[in-house]
């Protein structure tokens, strides 16, 4: 079925074939401390391992750590490593490797460094014990430890190739190119080869210390277009396609390809910037509410995704702590007009919208913004659309800011603190800045920051969940971040593929898949 090498084993000469995955690879690095992409999540959890991981129910389960303890203050975690754990070169995974890897992630200061920032210090009283001291209570750190970016690296091997873990790492670590052709992990696979914008090839770790993966090789092929991915599935040139959109999925009906839709934790949102230089009217709370309820979310989901998604009310994903149970804003253009009149904008106004020219999770941003443009026009708001490359969007969002924009978000770990931190509008937060709090200080909502600290210090899951929910209510009421849709994830694969699933920590757990 797939283009692959043949490997023969045993007296029965059973054939094993590579698993071929077609996807638009967004790889920026194969160094776990620098990598930051969806493909990177898969790579980091397949070639490297973490202390813990998540099962299909998002429950934390052991990997390198066979057990752990957390103090009641949520400031200290003690991990006991599995003595059987070993790297691909056969050497044991030891506490010094965990300490070195975590400190390196923090000191490289890449995009994933925020996951290690809560760490104040790490003790290694013996080769199998790691004691992580946090600078503040953090009830989510155990979940964060499952993130692929907290991969444990063979420190002896990487250090010999120029990798550093101390504070000089940000300037003096010279190992990034080495990581493009080598790996130093304990995972079920090892890096075989990488050709940027073409192919990433993994092979089975023959020294793997747990259950060996079912496939001998995994080959990622660079295929940007969803239609081309679907054609590869149908022809047998690929076993899995990872970015099939709902429309393309319809073309696979009646074939031997399996297409399954599952809820995702990703979402697409619009955002308003009351402090943007280009605003023609003041984006007061009434105006922001009017914009929110003037958008027909059900129609938008049908228009952009053929109904393959869920409406979402607050910037915490459905299925995450505190993300469920919020009321979806009802489409009400008449009420929107009343609110605009109350705000002194009864005759409407013009608003500029700059957004990334992208298709993310099956949502074509230009199509979505055209639909929003049509909806807002019905209440007198004229939207001027300006799609731009992502780099230009980032510059505009962080510069003079954007009155109305559209963006996307995917979780970096299973936990709600990342959303409250980014979207909660606490002073100095990412979206407080992008919303223009420097020129309109009324946008700052420090209540969300208080709720964040309380939730991270909560001694029970139930207590934390209530606080996350309250933070979600605060963010929904602010109406700076207005989520539109959580698109379903389409899992598309050939008839022989088994064990494929979506994961909050790992994206796609390769070791569970057979073909």
């Amino acid at each position: 079925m797939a283009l692959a090498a043949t490997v023969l084993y045993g007296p029965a000469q059973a054939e094993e074939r590579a698993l071929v995955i077609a996807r638009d690879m967004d790889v920026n690095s194969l160094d776990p401390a620098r990598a930051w992409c969806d493909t990177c999540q898969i790579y980091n959890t397949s070639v490297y391992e973490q202390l813990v991981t998540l099962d299909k129910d998002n429950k934390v389960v052991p990997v390198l750590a066979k057990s752990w303890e957390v103090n009641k203050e949520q400031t200290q975690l003690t991990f006991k490593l599995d003595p059987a754990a070993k790297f691909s070169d056969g050497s044991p995974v030891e506490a010094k490797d965990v300490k070195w890897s975590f400190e390196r992630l923090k000191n490289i200061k890449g995009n994933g460094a925020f996951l290690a920032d809560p760490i104040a210090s790490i003790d290694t009283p013996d080769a199998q014990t790691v004691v992580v001291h946090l600078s503040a209570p953090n009830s989510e750190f155990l979940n964060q430890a499952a993130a692929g970016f907290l991969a444990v690296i063979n420190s002896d091997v990487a250090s010999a190739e120029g990798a550093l873990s101390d504070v000089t790492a940000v300037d003096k670590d010279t190992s990034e190119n080495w990581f493009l052709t080598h790996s130093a992990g304990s995972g079920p696979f090892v890096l075989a080869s990488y050709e940027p914008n073409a192919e990433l090839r993994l092979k089975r770790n023959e020294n793997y210390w747990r259950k060996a993966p079912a496939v001998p090789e995994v080959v990622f092929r660079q295929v940007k277009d969803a239609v081309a991915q679907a054609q590869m599935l149908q022809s047998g040139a690929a076993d899995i396609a990872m970015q099939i959109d709902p429309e393309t999925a319809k073309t696979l009906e009646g074939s031997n390809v399996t297409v399954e839709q599952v809820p995702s934790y990703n979402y697409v949102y619009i955002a308003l910037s009351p402090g943007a230089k280009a605003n023609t009217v003041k984006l007061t709370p009434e105006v922001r509410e009017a914009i929110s309820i003037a958008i027909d979310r059900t129609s938008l989901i049908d228009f952009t995704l053929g109904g393959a998604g869920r409406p979402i009310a607050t910037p915490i994903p459905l299925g995450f702590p505190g993300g469920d149970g919020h009321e979806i804003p009802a489409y009400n253009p008449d009420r929107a007009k009343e609110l605009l009149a109350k705000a002194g904008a009864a005759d409407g106004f013009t608003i500029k919208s700059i957004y990334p020219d992208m298709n993310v999770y099956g949502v074509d941003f230009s199509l979505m913004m055209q639909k929003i443009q049509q909806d807002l026009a019905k209440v007198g708001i004229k939207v001027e659309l300006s799609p731009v490359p992502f780099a230009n969007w980032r510059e505009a969002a962080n510069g003079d800011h954007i009155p109305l924009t559209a963006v996307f978000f995917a979780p970096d770990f299973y936990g709600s603190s990342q959303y409250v931190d980014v979207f909660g509008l606490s002073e100095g937060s990412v979206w407080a800045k992008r919303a223009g709090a420097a020129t309109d200080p009324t946008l700052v909502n420090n209540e969300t920051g208080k709720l964040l600290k309380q939730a991270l210090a909560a001694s029970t899951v139930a207590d934390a969940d209530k606080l996350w929910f309250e933070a979600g209510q605060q963010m929904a009421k602010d109406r700076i971040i207005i989520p539109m849709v959580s698109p379903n994830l389409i899992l598309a694969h050939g008839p022989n593929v088994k064990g494929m699933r979506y994961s909050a920590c790992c994206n796609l757990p390769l070791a569970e898949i057979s073909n």
Side-chain angles (χ1 to χ4, degrees):
M1 174 182 167
L3 299 177
T6 298
V7 186
L8 300 179
Y9 289 92
Q13 299 293 286
E15 180 182 317
E16 291 190 314
R17 296 178 300 105
L19 181 77
V20 179
I21 300 173
R23 69 166 293 140
D24 183 10
M25 289 191 292
D26 45 352
V27 173
N28 71 308
S29 177
L30 294 181
D31 178 346
R34 294 181 169 101
W36 190 253
C37 65
D38 287 346
T39 308
C40 304
Q41 284 185 313
I42 304 173
Y43 180 80
N44 284 358
T45 53
S46 300
V47 172
Y48 297 86
E49 288 181 311
Q50 294 66 40
L51 292 173
V52 296
T53 192
L54 300 177
D55 67 9
K56 61 182 179 62
D57 299 314
N58 292 322
K59 179 184 176 183
V60 177
V61 294
V63 186
L64 293 174
K66 67 176 183 178
S67 64
W68 53 87
E69 294 179 357
V70 184
N71 69 349
K72 66 178 183 178
E73 292 81 15
Q74 306 283 354
T75 57
Q76 179 178 298
L77 297 91
T78 302
F79 297 94
K80 290 290 185 180
L81 301 184
D82 193 320
K86 61 181 178 179
F87 291 111
S88 58
D89 67 354
S91 62
V93 178
E94 295 182 333
K96 67 181 177 66
D97 299 300
V98 179
K99 176 180 170 69
W100 185 92
S101 300
F102 285 14
E103 291 176 347
R104 182 169 182 267
L105 176 64
K106 187 173 185 175
N107 289 323
I108 285 284
K109 300 188 183 303
N111 286 321
F114 77 95
L115 291 163
D117 283 343
I119 299 173
S121 62
I122 301 175
D123 294 331
T124 54
D126 60 60
Q128 263 70 54
T129 306
V130 180
V131 184
V132 178
H133 302 277
L134 305 177
S135 56
N138 189 340
S139 61
E140 289 193 335
F141 188 80
L142 188 60
N143 282 348
Q144 291 174 343
F149 309 106
L150 281 167
V152 177
I153 302 170
N154 187 328
S155 59
D156 291 337
V157 170
S159 295
E161 301 299 335
L164 300 172
S165 67
D166 62 17
V167 293
T168 68
V170 65
D171 298 315
K172 295 185 178 180
D173 186 298
T174 59
S175 63
E176 186 169 15
N177 287 338
W178 180 84
F179 277 105
L180 292 174
T181 54
H182 302 80
S183 57
S186 61
F189 295 93
V190 298
L191 175 63
S193 62
Y194 174 55
E195 185 179 348
N197 302 312
E199 180 183 280
L200 172 63
R201 186 179 291 262
L202 315 181
K203 63 182 180 181
R204 180 190 283 141
N205 175 4
E206 298 300 341
N207 286 323
Y208 191 47
W209 61 285
R210 299 201 297 167
K211 181 181 178 181
V215 295
E217 281 189 298
V218 178
V219 182
F220 292 89
R221 295 235 163 93
Q222 171 61 31
V223 186
K224 185 171 184 178
D225 184 68
V227 173
Q229 290 186 16
Q231 291 171 344
M232 289 179 69
L233 276 180
Q234 290 176 306
S235 70
D239 298 297
I240 292 172
M242 295 201 68
Q243 288 138 327
I244 299 294
D245 59 67
E247 283 303 308
T248 305
K250 293 177 183 177
T251 67
L252 297 171
E253 294 176 0
S255 71
N256 66 349
V257 173
T258 298
V259 178
E260 179 186 4
Q261 285 192 23
V262 298
S264 80
Y265 301 121
N266 310 322
Y267 62 79
V268 171
Y269 62 97
I270 64 170
L272 300 170
S273 176
K277 189 175 181 179
N279 280 332
T280 58
V281 301
K282 190 171 178 62
L283 298 182
T284 64
E286 291 84 7
V287 173
R288 302 200 299 266
E289 183 180 357
I291 289 172
S292 176
I293 63 177
I295 299 171
D296 185 347
R297 289 163 173 77
T298 300
S299 177
L300 182 144
I301 294 170
D302 288 340
F303 183 71
T304 58
L305 290 166
R310 301 176 292 171
I312 175 171
T314 192
I316 298 177
L318 298 166
F320 269 50
D324 296 322
H326 298 277
E327 184 178 356
I328 303 296
Y331 175 52
N332 193 338
D334 291 336
R335 173 61 179 159
K337 290 178 182 178
E338 292 175 6
L339 288 166
L340 290 174
K342 183 179 178 182
D347 295 331
F349 60 92
T350 298
I351 189 168
K352 187 173 182 62
S353 178
I354 301 172
Y355 57 90
D357 185 13
M358 301 175 73
N359 185 313
V360 183
Y361 317 131
V363 177
D364 184 309
F365 275 32
S366 287
L367 280 179
M368 182 181 76
M369 292 309 295
Q370 288 167 19
K371 175 66 173 68
I372 289 173
Q373 181 186 52
Q374 293 169 8
D375 283 355
L376 293 183
K378 295 174 184 176
V379 299
I381 301 174
K382 180 182 178 182
V383 182
E384 296 179 348
L385 301 179
S386 299
V388 298
F390 191 80
N392 298 72
W393 171 85
R394 186 186 294 275
E395 182 179 354
N398 295 327
D400 290 332
H401 313 303
I402 304 171
L404 168 63
T405 191
V407 213
F408 59 95
F409 204 94
D412 300 316
F413 62 92
Y414 182 71
S416 299
S417 61
Q418 58 195 307
Y419 299 94
V420 183
D421 187 44
V422 172
F423 300 118
L425 301 185
S426 292
E427 188 171 0
S429 67
V430 171
W431 273 102
K433 293 177 182 176
R434 288 177 177 171
T439 55
D440 186 355
T442 64
L443 298 175
V444 173
N445 183 351
N446 285 321
E447 184 62 26
T448 55
K450 295 176 184 176
L451 292 167
L452 172 65
K453 289 182 179 179
Q454 292 171 11
L456 291 177
S459 57
T460 69
V461 172
D463 288 344
D465 285 352
K466 290 177 183 177
L467 293 160
W468 295 129
F469 182 86
E470 189 176 343
Q473 292 283 71
Q474 290 278 339
M475 293 187 289
K477 187 174 67 174
D478 287 333
R479 297 185 182 90
I480 293 297
I481 307 300
I482 307 176
M484 290 288 103
V485 57
S486 176
N488 291 345
L489 186 72
I490 295 178
L491 303 179
H493 58 79
N496 296 325
V497 172
K498 295 179 176 61
M500 182 179 177
R501 71 176 175 94
Y502 169 60
S503 168
C505 71
C506 318
N507 202 317
L508 182 68
L510 292 183
E512 299 179 11
I513 300 175
S514 65
N515 67 344

